[in-house]
Amino acid sequence: MTDAVPKGQSIAGRVLSGLVILFLLFDAGLKLVSPETAIKYSPPDLGWPLDVPTMTMLGTLLLIPTLLYIWPRTAILGAILITAYLGGAVATHVRIGSPLFSHILFGVYLGVMLWGGLWLRDSRLRAMIPFRAGASA
């Protein structure tokens, strides 16, 4: 059904995906288990209400797609939903004028790692998004 993924490529993809998954689970878990801590360390000028219901909602909206990303059958759907979540984070930081490389682009860095890890470990995604040297239009 799908082509075999070279072992080294699969390991690299799993490591990259694992790092993203750990970060996202930590972020979602903190918002769900200890929303007061998430509120305490959130910048006050983000424009979001810094209260328990908002943190719980954001934690849930991150946890569900992260769990979908972990399961191979739904990994692409999870990646799409996480990308949307990260887009909201980028837009929030652009709106308030956060520093570019450390805050605004952090969501982009995570997104590149998220999709890069999935691309390395999933031959179906590589078939849909091929990177070829010397390809002509």
Side-chain angles (χ1 to χ4, degrees):
M1 184 187 296
T2 60
D3 297 329
V5 177
K7 187 175 182 178
Q9 202 169 337
S10 178
I11 291 170
R14 290 179 190 279
V15 168
L16 205 53
S17 293
L19 291 171
V20 174
I21 289 166
L22 287 174
F23 177 81
L24 296 176
L25 288 176
F26 175 78
D27 189 32
L30 183 64
K31 287 176 173 66
L32 291 170
V33 174
S34 182
E36 296 82 10
T37 303
I39 292 167
K40 180 179 176 183
Y41 291 104
S42 293
D45 57 349
L46 289 179
W48 292 94
L50 294 178
D51 55 22
V52 172
T54 301
M55 288 299 142
T56 303
M57 178 186 61
L58 289 173
T60 303
L61 289 174
L62 182 56
L63 180 63
I64 292 169
T66 301
L67 294 175
L68 289 171
Y69 181 73
I70 291 169
W71 192 30
R73 292 188 88 159
T74 57
I76 292 176
L77 174 61
I80 292 167
L81 295 173
I82 292 167
T83 303
Y85 184 92
L86 294 174
V90 169
T92 297
H93 282 288
V94 167
R95 187 185 63 75
I96 65 169
S98 293
L100 178 64
F101 294 106
S102 62
H103 290 69
I104 292 174
L105 292 180
F106 188 76
V108 175
Y109 304 148
L110 278 178
V112 168
M113 289 174 61
L114 174 97
W115 282 100
L118 188 55
W119 189 86
L120 285 170
R121 63 187 169 95
D122 190 327
S123 59
R124 297 170 302 162
L125 185 59
R126 282 196 315 282
M128 286 178 20
I129 308 171
F131 289 106
R132 298 182 202 148
S136 59

